[in-house]
Amino acid sequence: MTTKSKLLKLFEENRGVYLSGGEIAQDLCISRTAVWKAVKALQSDGYFIDAARNKGYCLSTQTDILSEQGIKKYLAPELSKSDIFVYQSISSTNTVLREKANSGAPEGCLVLANEQSSGKGRMGRSFYSPVGSGIYMSLLLRPKNCSGNDAVKITTLAAVAVCEAIESVSGEKAQIKWVNDVFVKGKKVCGILTEGSFSLENGALDYAVLGVGINLYPPADGFPRDISNTAGSVFGNVVSDAKNRMVAAFLKSFYSYKNSSSPTGYAQKYKERSLVIGKRVTLVSANAAREALVTDIDNDCRLIVQYDDGSVGCCSSGEIRVRL
Ligand code: BTN
Protein backbone atom coordinates (compact mmCIF):
# COMPACT_ATOMS: atom_id res chain seq x y z
CA MET A 1 0.00 0.00 0.00
CA THR A 2 1.40 3.45 -0.89
CA THR A 3 1.60 6.27 1.67
CA LYS A 4 -1.18 8.05 -0.20
CA SER A 5 -3.45 4.95 0.01
CA LYS A 6 -2.71 4.50 3.71
CA LEU A 7 -3.45 8.15 4.39
CA LEU A 8 -6.69 7.98 2.41
CA LYS A 9 -7.76 4.96 4.48
CA LEU A 10 -7.07 6.90 7.66
CA PHE A 11 -8.97 9.97 6.43
CA GLU A 12 -11.91 7.90 5.17
CA GLU A 13 -12.20 6.22 8.56
CA ASN A 14 -12.08 9.64 10.27
CA ARG A 15 -14.15 11.93 8.03
CA GLY A 16 -14.81 15.32 9.60
CA VAL A 17 -12.17 14.73 12.30
CA TYR A 18 -8.92 16.75 12.53
CA LEU A 19 -5.82 14.56 12.74
CA SER A 20 -2.54 16.24 13.62
CA GLY A 21 0.45 15.85 11.31
CA GLY A 22 2.38 14.28 14.19
CA GLU A 23 -0.38 11.78 14.94
CA ILE A 24 -0.62 10.75 11.29
CA ALA A 25 3.14 10.50 10.92
CA GLN A 26 3.32 8.21 13.96
CA ASP A 27 0.37 6.10 12.83
CA LEU A 28 1.78 5.53 9.34
CA CYS A 29 5.44 5.40 10.43
CA ILE A 30 6.44 8.21 8.08
CA SER A 31 7.83 11.75 8.41
CA ARG A 32 5.63 14.86 8.75
CA THR A 33 6.96 16.00 5.36
CA ALA A 34 5.77 12.73 3.81
CA VAL A 35 2.34 13.34 5.39
CA TRP A 36 2.21 16.83 3.90
CA LYS A 37 3.19 15.52 0.44
CA ALA A 38 0.54 12.81 0.55
CA VAL A 39 -2.09 15.36 1.66
CA LYS A 40 -1.14 17.54 -1.35
CA ALA A 41 -1.46 14.53 -3.66
CA LEU A 42 -4.94 13.71 -2.32
CA GLN A 43 -5.99 17.36 -2.63
CA SER A 44 -4.91 17.37 -6.26
CA ASP A 45 -7.08 14.24 -6.77
CA GLY A 46 -10.05 16.36 -5.67
CA TYR A 47 -10.31 15.53 -1.96
CA PHE A 48 -11.37 18.47 0.23
CA ILE A 49 -8.79 18.29 3.02
CA ASP A 50 -8.61 21.25 5.36
CA ALA A 51 -5.21 22.05 6.87
CA ALA A 52 -5.51 24.16 10.05
CA ARG A 53 -2.70 25.39 12.29
CA ASN A 54 -2.80 23.69 15.72
CA LYS A 55 -5.52 21.27 14.56
CA GLY A 56 -4.06 19.30 11.69
CA TYR A 57 -5.74 17.86 8.62
CA CYS A 58 -9.39 16.99 8.12
CA LEU A 59 -11.20 15.28 5.21
CA SER A 60 -14.46 17.12 4.61
CA THR A 61 -17.61 15.09 5.24
CA GLN A 62 -19.00 16.49 1.95
CA THR A 63 -16.43 14.72 -0.24
CA ASP A 64 -17.94 12.26 -2.71
CA ILE A 65 -15.12 10.42 -4.46
CA LEU A 66 -15.04 6.71 -5.22
CA SER A 67 -12.13 4.79 -3.76
CA GLU A 68 -11.25 1.32 -2.59
CA GLN A 69 -10.67 2.65 0.93
CA GLY A 70 -13.94 4.62 0.87
CA ILE A 71 -15.98 1.57 -0.13
CA LYS A 72 -14.25 -0.89 2.18
CA LYS A 73 -14.88 1.18 5.28
CA TYR A 74 -18.59 0.33 4.86
CA LEU A 75 -18.07 -3.39 4.21
CA ALA A 76 -18.05 -6.24 6.70
CA PRO A 77 -14.65 -8.01 6.89
CA GLU A 78 -15.79 -10.98 4.78
CA LEU A 79 -16.72 -8.67 1.89
CA SER A 80 -13.74 -6.37 2.15
CA LYS A 81 -11.15 -8.99 1.20
CA SER A 82 -11.80 -8.80 -2.54
CA ASP A 83 -9.78 -6.61 -4.88
CA ILE A 84 -11.33 -3.28 -5.83
CA PHE A 85 -9.84 -1.29 -8.73
CA VAL A 86 -10.98 2.30 -9.25
CA TYR A 87 -10.02 3.99 -12.54
CA GLN A 88 -10.48 7.60 -13.55
CA SER A 89 -11.35 6.88 -17.19
CA ILE A 90 -11.41 3.57 -19.08
CA SER A 91 -13.20 2.18 -22.13
CA SER A 92 -15.64 -0.04 -20.23
CA THR A 93 -15.49 -1.62 -16.78
CA ASN A 94 -16.93 -4.83 -18.30
CA THR A 95 -14.13 -4.97 -20.88
CA VAL A 96 -11.39 -4.32 -18.33
CA LEU A 97 -12.80 -6.87 -15.89
CA ARG A 98 -13.06 -9.51 -18.65
CA GLU A 99 -9.34 -9.04 -19.27
CA LYS A 100 -8.67 -9.54 -15.57
CA ALA A 101 -10.97 -12.60 -15.52
CA ASN A 102 -9.13 -14.14 -18.47
CA SER A 103 -5.88 -13.65 -16.52
CA GLY A 104 -7.34 -15.54 -13.55
CA ALA A 105 -8.81 -12.82 -11.30
CA PRO A 106 -10.91 -14.44 -8.53
CA GLU A 107 -14.64 -14.13 -7.82
CA GLY A 108 -15.50 -10.81 -6.19
CA CYS A 109 -12.98 -8.70 -8.10
CA LEU A 110 -14.60 -5.31 -8.66
CA VAL A 111 -13.71 -2.73 -11.30
CA LEU A 112 -15.05 0.83 -11.10
CA ALA A 113 -14.58 3.92 -13.23
CA ASN A 114 -15.48 7.57 -12.93
CA GLU A 115 -15.90 7.74 -16.70
CA GLN A 116 -16.26 5.23 -19.54
CA SER A 117 -15.32 6.18 -23.09
CA SER A 118 -17.12 3.14 -24.60
CA GLY A 119 -19.67 2.13 -21.96
CA LYS A 120 -21.64 -0.87 -23.21
CA GLY A 121 -25.41 -1.24 -23.00
CA ARG A 122 -27.72 -4.13 -23.83
CA MET A 123 -28.52 -5.15 -27.40
CA GLY A 124 -25.25 -3.69 -28.70
CA ARG A 125 -26.16 -0.17 -27.59
CA SER A 126 -23.80 2.20 -25.80
CA PHE A 127 -24.23 3.39 -22.22
CA TYR A 128 -23.73 7.10 -21.63
CA SER A 129 -21.03 7.30 -18.92
CA PRO A 130 -19.88 10.90 -18.44
CA VAL A 131 -17.26 11.81 -15.86
CA GLY A 132 -18.32 12.36 -12.26
CA SER A 133 -22.04 11.81 -12.59
CA GLY A 134 -22.35 8.05 -12.35
CA ILE A 135 -21.15 4.83 -10.80
CA TYR A 136 -19.88 2.46 -13.47
CA MET A 137 -18.92 -0.88 -11.97
CA SER A 138 -18.37 -4.51 -12.90
CA LEU A 139 -18.28 -7.46 -10.52
CA LEU A 140 -16.66 -10.79 -11.35
CA LEU A 141 -18.62 -13.94 -10.51
CA ARG A 142 -17.47 -17.51 -10.92
CA PRO A 143 -20.53 -19.59 -9.99
CA LYS A 144 -20.12 -23.38 -9.94
CA ASN A 145 -22.24 -25.56 -12.27
CA CYS A 146 -24.18 -22.60 -13.58
CA SER A 147 -26.19 -23.00 -16.79
CA GLY A 148 -27.17 -20.20 -19.16
CA ASN A 149 -30.61 -20.06 -17.51
CA ASP A 150 -29.12 -19.72 -14.03
CA ALA A 151 -26.89 -16.95 -15.35
CA VAL A 152 -29.97 -14.86 -16.22
CA LYS A 153 -30.74 -14.75 -12.48
CA ILE A 154 -27.52 -12.83 -11.82
CA THR A 155 -29.03 -9.86 -13.61
CA THR A 156 -32.43 -9.96 -11.93
CA LEU A 157 -30.81 -10.42 -8.52
CA ALA A 158 -28.58 -7.42 -9.24
CA ALA A 159 -31.63 -5.33 -10.14
CA VAL A 160 -33.14 -6.01 -6.70
CA ALA A 161 -29.80 -5.21 -5.01
CA VAL A 162 -29.51 -1.91 -6.92
CA CYS A 163 -33.05 -0.93 -5.84
CA GLU A 164 -32.25 -1.71 -2.20
CA ALA A 165 -28.97 0.24 -2.39
CA ILE A 166 -30.67 3.27 -3.94
CA GLU A 167 -33.39 3.22 -1.30
CA SER A 168 -30.97 2.88 1.60
CA VAL A 169 -28.70 5.72 0.43
CA SER A 170 -31.27 8.14 -1.04
CA GLY A 171 -34.58 7.19 0.56
CA GLU A 172 -36.13 7.24 -2.95
CA LYS A 173 -38.39 4.37 -4.02
CA ALA A 174 -36.76 2.34 -6.80
CA GLN A 175 -38.64 0.06 -9.21
CA ILE A 176 -37.75 -2.41 -11.93
CA LYS A 177 -38.79 -2.34 -15.54
CA TRP A 178 -38.37 -5.94 -16.72
CA VAL A 179 -35.90 -7.22 -17.20
CA ASN A 180 -33.16 -5.13 -15.61
CA ASP A 181 -33.74 -1.37 -15.80
CA VAL A 182 -34.10 0.46 -12.49
CA PHE A 183 -36.37 3.49 -12.34
CA VAL A 184 -36.72 6.30 -9.82
CA LYS A 185 -39.57 8.80 -10.16
CA GLY A 186 -40.46 7.45 -13.61
CA LYS A 187 -36.94 7.79 -15.08
CA LYS A 188 -34.32 5.13 -15.79
CA VAL A 189 -31.42 5.63 -13.38
CA CYS A 190 -29.64 2.32 -13.80
CA GLY A 191 -28.91 -0.25 -16.47
CA ILE A 192 -27.39 -3.70 -16.01
CA LEU A 193 -25.40 -5.72 -18.52
CA THR A 194 -24.19 -9.21 -17.62
CA GLU A 195 -21.69 -10.81 -19.96
CA GLY A 196 -20.74 -14.48 -19.63
CA SER A 197 -17.90 -16.64 -20.76
CA PHE A 198 -19.01 -20.23 -21.33
CA SER A 199 -16.91 -23.38 -21.53
CA LEU A 200 -16.90 -24.93 -25.01
CA GLU A 201 -16.51 -28.38 -23.46
CA ASN A 202 -19.63 -28.60 -21.29
CA GLY A 203 -21.48 -25.32 -21.93
CA ALA A 204 -21.20 -24.34 -18.25
CA LEU A 205 -20.57 -20.75 -17.24
CA ASP A 206 -16.87 -20.16 -16.72
CA TYR A 207 -17.37 -16.65 -15.35
CA ALA A 208 -19.84 -13.79 -15.49
CA VAL A 209 -19.09 -10.09 -15.54
CA LEU A 210 -21.96 -8.21 -13.93
CA GLY A 211 -21.92 -4.61 -15.15
CA VAL A 212 -23.99 -1.96 -13.38
CA GLY A 213 -24.28 1.69 -14.38
CA ILE A 214 -26.08 4.03 -11.96
CA ASN A 215 -26.75 7.67 -12.89
CA LEU A 216 -26.18 9.29 -9.52
CA TYR A 217 -26.13 12.97 -10.49
CA PRO A 218 -27.37 14.87 -13.54
CA PRO A 219 -24.56 14.99 -16.16
CA ALA A 220 -22.89 18.42 -16.41
CA ASP A 221 -24.02 18.76 -20.05
CA GLY A 222 -27.36 17.01 -19.56
CA PHE A 223 -28.32 13.64 -21.06
CA PRO A 224 -27.96 13.19 -24.84
CA ARG A 225 -31.13 14.04 -26.75
CA ASP A 226 -32.02 10.41 -27.58
CA ILE A 227 -32.33 9.51 -23.87
CA SER A 228 -33.21 12.88 -22.36
CA ASN A 229 -36.89 11.96 -21.92
CA THR A 230 -36.27 8.58 -20.34
CA ALA A 231 -33.03 8.92 -18.32
CA GLY A 232 -32.83 10.41 -14.84
CA SER A 233 -30.50 10.53 -11.88
CA VAL A 234 -30.89 9.45 -8.27
CA PHE A 235 -29.87 12.82 -6.77
CA GLY A 236 -30.12 16.44 -7.93
CA ASN A 237 -27.02 17.64 -6.06
CA VAL A 238 -23.85 16.16 -4.60
CA VAL A 239 -24.50 14.10 -1.47
CA SER A 240 -21.83 13.29 1.11
CA ASP A 241 -20.00 10.05 0.31
CA ALA A 242 -22.94 8.79 -1.78
CA LYS A 243 -20.83 6.87 -4.31
CA ASN A 244 -18.89 4.76 -1.81
CA ARG A 245 -22.03 4.17 0.27
CA MET A 246 -24.00 3.13 -2.82
CA VAL A 247 -21.40 0.60 -4.00
CA ALA A 248 -21.06 -0.91 -0.51
CA ALA A 249 -24.85 -1.10 -0.07
CA PHE A 250 -25.16 -2.82 -3.47
CA LEU A 251 -22.51 -5.42 -2.63
CA LYS A 252 -24.07 -6.10 0.76
CA SER A 253 -27.52 -6.63 -0.68
CA PHE A 254 -26.31 -8.60 -3.72
CA TYR A 255 -24.28 -11.06 -1.66
CA SER A 256 -26.98 -11.47 0.97
CA TYR A 257 -29.37 -12.79 -1.72
CA LYS A 258 -26.68 -14.69 -3.61
CA ASN A 259 -25.57 -16.53 -0.46
CA SER A 260 -29.09 -17.04 0.83
CA SER A 261 -30.31 -20.61 1.39
CA SER A 262 -33.42 -19.72 -0.61
CA PRO A 263 -31.98 -18.96 -4.06
CA THR A 264 -35.31 -17.66 -5.37
CA GLY A 265 -36.10 -15.61 -2.24
CA TYR A 266 -35.22 -12.45 -4.13
CA ALA A 267 -37.81 -13.22 -6.85
CA GLN A 268 -40.66 -12.04 -4.64
CA LYS A 269 -38.79 -8.79 -4.02
CA TYR A 270 -38.22 -8.45 -7.75
CA LYS A 271 -41.94 -8.92 -8.41
CA GLU A 272 -42.95 -6.41 -5.71
CA ARG A 273 -40.81 -3.80 -7.42
CA SER A 274 -42.08 -4.49 -10.92
CA LEU A 275 -43.31 -1.51 -12.90
CA VAL A 276 -44.97 -3.60 -15.58
CA ILE A 277 -47.42 -6.04 -14.00
CA GLY A 278 -50.90 -5.17 -15.26
CA LYS A 279 -49.48 -2.97 -18.04
CA ARG A 280 -49.79 -3.31 -21.80
CA VAL A 281 -46.34 -3.70 -23.33
CA THR A 282 -44.67 -4.27 -26.67
CA LEU A 283 -42.34 -7.28 -26.68
CA VAL A 284 -39.46 -6.45 -28.97
CA SER A 285 -37.30 -9.07 -30.65
CA ALA A 286 -34.75 -8.85 -33.50
CA ASN A 287 -37.36 -9.05 -36.24
CA ALA A 288 -40.77 -8.51 -34.63
CA ALA A 289 -42.75 -6.51 -32.10
CA ARG A 290 -45.86 -7.94 -30.41
CA GLU A 291 -48.36 -6.30 -28.09
CA ALA A 292 -49.37 -8.08 -24.87
CA LEU A 293 -50.69 -7.59 -21.35
CA VAL A 294 -48.28 -8.46 -18.52
CA THR A 295 -50.19 -10.66 -16.08
CA ASP A 296 -47.41 -11.80 -13.74
CA ILE A 297 -43.72 -12.37 -13.04
CA ASP A 298 -42.88 -15.89 -11.93
CA ASN A 299 -40.33 -17.25 -9.42
CA ASP A 300 -37.63 -17.26 -12.10
CA CYS A 301 -38.39 -13.57 -12.83
CA ARG A 302 -39.88 -14.56 -16.19
CA LEU A 303 -42.50 -12.30 -17.68
CA ILE A 304 -45.94 -13.91 -18.05
CA VAL A 305 -48.01 -12.25 -20.74
CA GLN A 306 -51.36 -12.63 -22.44
CA TYR A 307 -51.41 -11.82 -26.16
CA ASP A 308 -54.39 -10.17 -27.79
CA ASP A 309 -55.55 -13.52 -29.30
CA GLY A 310 -55.86 -14.90 -25.73
CA SER A 311 -52.73 -17.08 -25.83
CA VAL A 312 -50.28 -16.96 -22.94
CA GLY A 313 -46.53 -16.46 -23.23
CA CYS A 314 -43.54 -16.68 -20.90
CA CYS A 315 -40.35 -14.70 -21.59
CA SER A 316 -37.05 -15.22 -19.80
CA SER A 317 -35.06 -12.60 -21.68
CA GLY A 318 -35.56 -9.85 -24.20
CA GLU A 319 -36.82 -6.33 -24.12
CA ILE A 320 -40.17 -4.63 -23.67
CA ARG A 321 -41.45 -1.16 -24.41
CA VAL A 322 -43.99 0.23 -21.98
CA ARG A 323 -45.65 3.59 -21.44
CA LEU A 324 -45.02 4.42 -17.76
C1 BTN B 1 -28.36 -1.04 -20.42
O1 BTN B 1 -29.15 -0.34 -19.80
O2 BTN B 1 -28.45 -1.19 -21.65
C2 BTN B 1 -27.23 -1.69 -19.67
C3 BTN B 1 -26.18 -0.70 -19.28
C4 BTN B 1 -25.03 -1.28 -18.48
C5 BTN B 1 -23.98 -0.23 -18.19
C6 BTN B 1 -22.90 -0.70 -17.28
S1 BTN B 1 -21.87 0.61 -16.74
C7 BTN B 1 -20.74 -0.52 -16.08
C8 BTN B 1 -20.64 -1.68 -17.04
N1 BTN B 1 -19.65 -1.42 -18.05
C9 BTN B 1 -20.20 -1.28 -19.26
O3 BTN B 1 -19.56 -1.03 -20.31
N2 BTN B 1 -21.52 -1.44 -19.19
C10 BTN B 1 -21.94 -1.75 -17.84
Side-chain angles (χ1 to χ4, degrees):
M1 229 192 203
T2 63
T3 299
K4 189 170 121 182
S5 308
K6 286 184 199 159
L7 183 60
L8 179 56
K9 184 168 184 291
L10 195 63
F11 277 142
E12 281 291 6
E13 286 164 357
N14 294 279
R15 275 180 173 241
V17 176
Y18 279 88
L19 304 167
S20 77
E23 244 180 314
I24 299 173
Q26 203 173 21
D27 222 26
L28 304 186
C29 299
I30 54 173
S31 68
R32 292 172 73 125
T33 313
V35 172
W36 180 80
K37 276 191 188 157
V39 168
K40 286 278 155 217
L42 287 173
Q43 285 172 331
S44 72
D45 286 349
Y47 286 92
F48 296 113
I49 299 169
D50 185 39
R53 199 179 280 275
N54 299 327
K55 282 167 92 182
Y57 303 104
C58 172
L59 174 62
S60 161
T61 52
Q62 292 310 305
T63 304
D64 188 27
I65 299 179
L66 269 176
S67 71
E68 177 186 4
Q69 297 85 341
I71 295 166
K72 285 190 172 173
K73 74 171 186 255
Y74 293 115
L75 293 177
E78 65 273 17
L79 287 186
S80 62
K81 288 188 194 113
S82 301
D83 282 332
I84 297 182
F85 300 91
V86 181
Y87 298 93
Q88 185 50 32
S89 182
I90 52 176
S91 55
S92 150
T93 54
N94 271 25
T95 305
V96 169
L97 186 56
R98 285 186 81 137
E99 286 162 10
K100 291 187 189 295
N102 291 335
S103 310
E107 155 121 1
C109 181
L110 184 69
V111 167
L112 294 124
N114 284 303
E115 178 182 23
Q116 298 184 117
S117 53
S118 311
K120 296 192 276 184
R122 296 183 70 225
M123 315 279 173
R125 289 186 293 253
S126 61
F127 186 76
Y128 186 56
S129 316
V131 66
S133 69
I135 293 173
Y136 316 114
M137 65 176 159
S138 300
L139 177 65
L140 181 59
L141 300 164
R142 292 188 180 276
K144 301 224 164 44
N145 309 318
C146 182
S147 66
N149 273 352
D150 292 339
V152 174
K153 290 183 193 155
I154 294 172
T155 301
T156 46
L157 202 161
V160 174
V162 168
C163 288
E164 293 188 350
I166 289 175
E167 284 182 7
S168 76
V169 177
S170 73
E172 296 288 352
K173 185 172 165 57
Q175 290 179 288
I176 301 167
K177 174 185 160 263
W178 189 88
V179 59
N180 57 3
D181 288 341
V182 175
F183 277 61
V184 168
K185 293 192 208 138
K187 300 276 182 187
K188 174 173 169 177
V189 298
C190 169
I192 299 170
L193 172 69
T194 304
E195 297 182 286
S197 171
F198 291 88
S199 155
L200 289 177
E201 268 170 42
N202 58 10
L205 185 70
D206 183 17
Y207 66 78
V209 163
L210 166 63
V212 177
I214 305 175
N215 304 328
L216 213 59
Y217 303 118
D221 299 326
F223 286 104
R225 194 179 297 179
D226 59 328
I227 56 169
S228 62
N229 286 331
T230 48
S233 47
V234 176
F235 298 112
N237 296 301
V238 174
V239 169
S240 167
D241 215 14
K243 291 179 184 169
N244 292 324
R245 285 193 287 146
M246 192 71 82
V247 174
F250 166 76
L251 292 174
K252 210 172 129 193
S253 174
F254 181 80
Y255 280 112
S256 78
Y257 289 116
K258 182 175 169 287
N259 299 335
S260 149
S261 53
S262 154
T264 55
Y266 78 92
Q268 187 56 31
K269 309 258 178 189
Y270 182 97
K271 184 172 162 177
E272 283 163 14
R273 292 180 182 279
S274 173
L275 271 174
V276 299
I277 294 176
K279 294 243 162 54
R280 283 194 66 76
V281 298
T282 308
L283 294 141
V284 188
S285 66
N287 43 15
R290 201 170 171 193
E291 301 273 314
L293 173 72
V294 178
T295 55
D296 201 1
I297 287 180
D298 72 9
N299 275 342
D300 290 318
C301 297
R302 292 177 302 189
L303 198 69
I304 312 298
V305 296
Q306 183 162 40
Y307 296 108
D308 291 348
D309 63 6
S311 62
V312 169
C314 172
C315 319
S316 56
S317 65
E319 190 156 80
I320 56 171
R321 281 200 296 261
V322 59
R323 195 186 291 271
L324 295 171

